[in-house]
Amino acid sequence: MIAYLRSHPATDAVLTAKNYIDNLSEEVRKGMLEKADQGT
């Protein structure tokens, strides 16, 4: 089942989107922490 899902293009797109969103939220969090550290 997992092997089938991993080779399915639509699933790849969903996983890519999830990774993108996870990375984006991580970058936003880092940016907010940096701003808080600088006191701006």
Side-chain angles (χ1 to χ4, degrees):
M1 188 63 185
I2 300 291
Y4 168 74
L5 284 175
R6 287 202 56 80
S7 65
H8 199 276
T11 305
D12 284 349
V14 170
L15 290 174
T16 301
K18 184 185 182 323
N19 286 337
Y20 177 77
I21 291 165
D22 287 349
N23 290 340
L24 198 60
S25 62
E26 180 70 23
E27 291 302 315
V28 168
R29 198 175 306 119
K30 278 191 242 173
M32 288 195 298
L33 287 173
E34 281 177 24
K35 278 196 173 201
D37 286 346
Q38 293 166 3
T40 53

